[in-house]
Amino acid sequence: MGRYDDDAFQAAYDKVLAKWPADREALRVPTPFGTTHVTACGPADAPPLVLLPGGGGATSTSWYAQAAHLARARRVLAVDLIGAPGRSEPAADRHPRTVADLAAWLDALLDGLRVTEADFGGHSYGAWIALRYAVHAPHRMRRLFLLDPTQCFAGFKAAYLLHALPMLLRPTPTRVRAFLDWETGGAATLDPDWLRLQEAAAGFPTVRPVTGPRPAPDALRDLNTPVLLLVAANSRTHDPYEVTAQVGELLPRAEADVVPGVSHHALPQSSPPELARRLSEFLGERPE
């Protein structure tokens, strides 16, 4: 594992966080699995929207390009995953090890935030967590949007896994940059502050992430939660059109579309106009 510099990571985190709206707050929520860090913005009395980042170094700050727009009608609550890069602190003797643990963690997080039900959004691995939680607790989820979800409707491409392997086996800033350069078609197109944070996360002291199978088809067919799926047209993670086809077969209240000109790892911090428009249309205006 590469040498980790916490000062560099925290400085890079703060620089991306500064792109959030000025009214942002840092919330610390105790759970049985450790203390969860949440970046919040928007009116305190607005309907809550819980955002889960992807894996591989992503943090709650990654939603900066969408936060101000989403916070017009929602109380945005962006989460640093327990045991992953960010400012959440896993308990010394307990961290999520199973899908059931992830669900229990989110139950405790919502309880700690005093949120009975919420809209949810997730990217990549965070979308997988959110979809599994929708199956676990549909009564707590009003709507769900998924940005290029992994391991939900299609498997990884072999080429993606091969390119990711060096970074996963021995993460270093150079390997992170090389991988993102390959997947996005040129890291020069990415926000340099966000890219610097991804590089600084290499070697972050993490716990093993919870992985598991795709949600059971029958469980998805029974899911009555409205779902919006937006797939990155240039994603090298999986076949975008296989993903959208599966969604049409499995989710009764889903709408799916392919976002042109964007790759998997360019979401959600890139901000194509149609992304903000589709999310706003799906979530709707703040109810009276």
Side-chain angles (χ1 to χ4, degrees):
M1 181 174 291
R3 182 179 298 173
Y4 170 68
D5 184 336
D6 189 63
D7 289 340
F9 174 81
Q10 298 300 336
Y13 187 106
D14 283 335
K15 195 158 189 179
V16 178
L17 185 62
K19 300 174 187 288
W20 275 66
D23 71 342
R24 64 186 179 274
E25 299 179 62
L27 307 179
R28 305 280 292 168
V29 184
T31 78
F33 300 94
T35 301
T36 302
H37 178 93
V38 178
T39 301
C41 68
D45 62 344
L49 168 61
V50 177
L51 300 176
L52 302 178
T59 70
S60 64
T61 66
S62 295
W63 297 95
Y64 67 87
Q66 314 300 327
H69 189 84
L70 293 173
R72 294 176 186 174
R74 293 290 183 276
R75 175 64 167 172
V76 171
L77 301 164
V79 179
D80 280 345
L81 301 178
I82 283 279
R87 290 177 174 168
S88 291
E89 298 174 2
D93 58 345
R94 187 181 183 192
H95 58 81
R97 291 180 171 86
T98 66
V99 173
D101 286 344
L102 284 177
W105 166 63
L106 284 172
D107 280 337
L109 176 61
L110 292 184
D111 291 344
L113 291 167
R114 299 183 180 179
V115 169
T116 303
E117 61 177 2
D119 296 322
F120 272 74
H123 168 238
S124 188
Y125 175 60
W128 177 80
I129 295 174
L131 185 61
R132 295 302 300 245
Y133 190 66
V135 172
H136 164 78
H139 60 287
R140 303 198 77 164
M141 189 173 292
R142 287 193 297 254
R143 299 177 189 83
L144 170 64
F145 70 79
L146 307 172
L147 301 184
D148 215 46
T150 51
Q151 293 296 88
C152 292
F153 309 105
F156 290 109
K157 287 183 176 180
Y160 180 86
L161 295 176
L162 285 172
H163 278 85
L165 191 59
M167 179 186 66
L168 296 174
L169 291 176
R170 186 174 179 270
T172 67
T174 300
R175 291 183 174 191
V176 169
R177 177 179 282 268
F179 173 71
L180 292 174
D181 184 76
W182 170 79
E183 200 283 324
T184 61
T189 63
L190 298 173
D191 182 322
D193 295 327
W194 176 86
L195 182 58
R196 194 169 297 112
L197 177 56
Q198 295 299 113
E199 293 172 339
F204 188 97
T206 61
V207 299
R208 184 176 179 178
V210 176
T211 57
R214 302 176 206 170
D218 287 346
L220 293 180
R221 292 188 181 103
D222 290 340
L223 190 64
N224 199 40
T225 304
V227 177
L228 172 65
L229 173 83
L230 296 177
V231 184
N234 298 346
S235 177
R236 294 190 172 188
T237 306
H238 42 219
D239 182 334
Y241 298 95
E242 179 184 354
V243 173
T244 56
Q246 286 293 312
V247 169
E249 293 180 10
L250 293 174
L251 290 172
R253 298 188 64 190
E255 51 185 300
D257 205 354
V258 177
V259 181
V262 67
S263 76
H264 177 82
H265 287 281
L267 292 172
Q269 79 282 349
S270 69
S271 188
E274 60 269 28
L275 179 58
R277 178 181 61 81
R278 290 301 303 274
L279 294 180
S280 295
E281 290 174 352
F282 176 69
L283 295 171
E285 296 300 322
R286 181 178 177 181
E288 296 296 330

